Amino acid sequence: MLPEWTQRYSRKYLAKDMVAGATLAAVAIPEVLGYTSISQTPLATGLYTIIFPTMVFALFCSSRMLVVGADSATAALMAAGLLGLTSANLTPYSKEWVAYTSMVALVTAVLLLIARVLNLGFLGDFLSASVLIGFLTGIGIQVFTGQIPDLLGIPKATGNWFEQQRAWITSLGDIQWPAAAFAGATILIIVGFKKLVPRVPGALIAVVVLTGISAATDAASHGVAVVGAVPAGFPPVGLPQGFSLSEAFSVLGIAVSCLVLIIAQSAATGRSFAMKHGDKVDINRDIVGLSGANLAAGFTGTFVVNGSPTKTQILEEQRGRSQVANLTMSIIALVFTLFFTSSLANMPKAVLAGIVFLIGVGLIDALGLRAIYRKRQSEYWIALMTCVVVFAIGVEQGIILAIVVSLLDIIRRQYHPASFVVSETADGHPVYSEAEAGAQSEPVLQQSLITYGYPKHFDPAMTFGTLEEAIAGFRTSAPS
């Protein structure tokens, strides 16, 4: 019953893990506060996402490094889906809205458990790397543009993405300069610390310093919007109130979209960090942990959680080696929630907007899109189309398109396979070159192809003549 990561745990990691967990808490607390502006829930719900959900995941997962908590992509997907529930007539930040976000978490938890029972971890493969880059880039554009009104201290508009951009552009004459100054200072502090002192959490410094300045200067009396009182105390425990079974079914579509994104993002993050450290990761075991984490989120009054690439990267940078670091972060977050939330009352909303603005910008993977364009332009246009649909039409529609386009791309490759000669670089990375007369794959790679089902009479020393002559040995699909 013990988590798999505990079987290989050494006491020598304990001190490092606790220090890494404390640093992670310093970064994660202001970050999850910012995510509440994406999920459109009260500030306290952000803190709740890194308490019991993180603890439950740590107790059931396989991954040593993966950090689970609030995530910008799933928060945006959930909020967009709830805004589309016209039958519910929900108002963001209301008690009913929070109840619906918790119900989405509970339904997602049930779907994740079903996915584990049916061994559906492969669902994460439905989003190819290029489509996932396009999807997250679209989320990033939606997130950072959504923060511009709060950065400038002007009211947010309703309507589609284009109408919202038109609204703030035409309202530039109404900028609240004190709020804009707080937002600009937040961005400068975070970027400055990231460039000059990357080990110091710039977001925490920005929150502490600028909240102090706001309190000392009574910024609220000068027109600067502040977050106000944040309730302290233990997270509420229990089922969301006022729900019937039919209303639970109304969020099923949102939960299915969250399911696919959670499996895809968490699997990709868990695998990549496990490979860096030579660890093995059981994706299906992690799905159990993610199901438990979302169950905990639904029962403690908060919204859906996911594996976080940014928090996991921070944990690695701080040399954390296990879920002990994440448990440390959760305990610190719980203590902060119980006793210190009153310190947030004078924090300007523009400071939160600056934090989330940079989170959104960080999701935009321009280098990844450029690399896709150089390697395969057809996938670049697919990624770009996914990106535009996400921010211009909707996140839920974007993820549906991403799945459909990924499947169609797989079918296209199977019907039109490309021929390549396989070689390796000095550091062991595969290189795929066009098949030409006289070209030859490296013998070890040829032998691998034979082992996995190519004709036994195939001669590893042969060279290509015509394409037809090469079909017997080297006809493979391009790497996904």
Side-chain angles (χ1 to χ4, degrees):
M1 295 298 292
L2 290 174
E4 290 185 15
W5 59 267
T6 61
Q7 299 171 16
R8 305 181 301 276
Y9 191 72
S10 173
R11 288 186 179 180
K12 66 181 181 181
Y13 297 139
L14 183 60
K16 289 183 179 179
D17 278 343
M18 294 183 71
V19 172
T23 306
L24 182 59
V27 177
I29 287 174
E31 187 179 72
V32 296
L33 292 174
Y35 286 150
T36 59
S37 67
I38 302 174
S39 64
Q40 302 184 55
T41 55
L43 285 178
T45 62
L47 295 171
Y48 300 160
T49 63
I50 54 171
I51 301 176
F52 292 112
T54 304
M55 290 181 182
V56 171
F57 179 78
L59 296 176
F60 287 95
C61 71
S62 164
S63 174
R64 296 162 64 100
M65 300 288 292
L66 184 63
V67 183
V68 166
D71 172 68
S72 56
T74 42
L77 175 58
M78 178 202 67
L82 291 179
L83 286 172
L85 289 179
T86 53
S87 59
N89 195 25
L90 296 172
T91 302
Y93 298 98
S94 66
K95 289 183 179 180
E96 293 77 13
W97 178 275
V98 175
Y100 265 85
T101 64
S102 297
M103 183 55 67
V104 171
L106 290 175
V107 176
T108 302
V110 172
L111 293 177
L112 283 164
L113 193 59
I114 293 172
R116 171 60 188 94
V117 171
L118 300 178
N119 290 319
L120 298 181
F122 66 88
L123 284 173
D125 297 330
F126 280 5
L127 295 182
S128 66
S130 55
V131 169
L132 194 57
I133 286 173
F135 177 79
L136 293 177
T137 297
I139 290 285
I141 293 172
Q142 184 193 64
V143 167
F144 92 77
T145 55
Q147 300 306 308
I148 293 176
D150 282 340
L151 290 174
L152 303 178
I154 57 180
K156 284 187 177 181
T158 57
N160 62 41
W161 184 83
F162 296 101
E163 291 170 340
Q164 292 174 20
Q165 306 320 302
R166 180 179 178 276
W168 71 259
I169 291 172
T170 56
S171 301
L172 289 176
D174 300 326
I175 293 176
Q176 296 288 330
W177 290 107
F182 275 108
T186 302
I187 293 171
L188 285 174
I189 290 171
I190 295 174
V191 173
F193 272 89
K194 188 174 183 179
K195 295 289 185 183
L196 302 175
V197 197
R199 286 191 174 274
V200 178
L204 179 66
I205 301 299
V207 167
V208 172
V209 171
L210 296 177
T211 300
I213 293 173
S214 171
T217 59
D218 194 14
S221 65
H222 295 85
V224 176
V226 296
V227 300
V230 179
F234 204 77
V237 178
L239 279 168
Q241 297 299 310
F243 267 95
S244 65
L245 188 61
S246 61
E247 288 172 319
F249 276 112
S250 70
V251 301
L252 184 60
I254 305 171
V256 170
S257 299
C258 290
L259 166 77
V260 177
L261 180 58
I262 287 170
I263 293 177
Q265 182 169 301
S266 296
T269 305
R271 283 171 179 161
S272 62
F273 283 94
M275 287 175 62
K276 286 183 180 180
H277 298 279
D279 296 332
K280 292 182 179 180
V281 61
D282 182 350
I283 299 301
N284 284 317
R285 178 69 181 250
D286 279 352
I287 289 175
V288 174
L290 289 162
S291 175
N294 278 285
L295 201 65
F299 278 120
T300 56
T302 190
F303 52 92
V304 65
V305 295
N306 192 3
S308 171
T310 54
K311 295 185 191 69
T312 308
Q313 178 65 42
I314 292 166
L315 180 61
E316 187 191 45
E317 289 173 355
Q318 298 301 321
R319 299 182 181 179
R321 291 294 296 139
S322 77
Q323 294 291 330
V324 171
N326 299 333
L327 291 170
T328 303
M329 174 193 70
S330 297
I331 293 169
I332 293 173
L334 178 59
V335 172
F336 182 85
T337 304
L338 290 173
F339 303 110
F340 299 106
T341 55
S342 59
S343 62
L344 299 172
N346 289 300
M347 181 169 63
K349 289 184 177 179
V351 173
L352 275 183
I355 294 171
V356 179
F357 177 86
L358 291 177
I359 290 170
V361 171
L363 286 171
I364 299 173
D365 192 355
L367 292 176
L369 288 171
R370 193 179 307 163
I372 294 170
Y373 183 82
R374 287 199 302 264
K375 292 181 178 179
R376 185 176 294 136
Q377 290 190 16
S378 62
E379 289 202 14
Y380 169 80
W381 293 113
I382 290 172
L384 194 62
M385 179 174 61
T386 304
C387 170
V388 172
V389 169
V390 166
F391 71 78
I393 300 177
V395 180
E396 197 169 3
Q397 292 83 349
I399 199 166
I400 292 170
L401 175 70
I403 294 170
V404 171
V405 168
S406 293
L407 291 174
L408 290 176
D409 192 42
I410 291 171
I411 294 170
R412 178 185 64 82
R413 291 185 194 181
Q414 295 303 316
Y415 276 89
H416 299 283
S419 299
F420 290 92
V421 177
V422 188
S423 59
E424 284 185 336
T425 60
D427 54 359
H429 288 88
V431 176
Y432 301 88
S433 306
E434 293 292 339
E436 298 176 351
Q440 180 178 347
S441 281
E442 293 184 5
V444 174
L445 299 176
Q446 293 173 356
Q447 187 60 48
S448 177
L449 294 176
I450 297 168
T451 302
Y452 286 96
Y454 283 91
K456 293 182 179 179
H457 64 270
F458 177 75
D459 179 11
M462 72 171 287
T463 55
F464 283 119
T466 64
L467 179 60
E468 288 74 16
E469 292 170 347
I471 288 176
F474 288 127
R475 188 167 189 174
T476 62
S477 295
S480 60

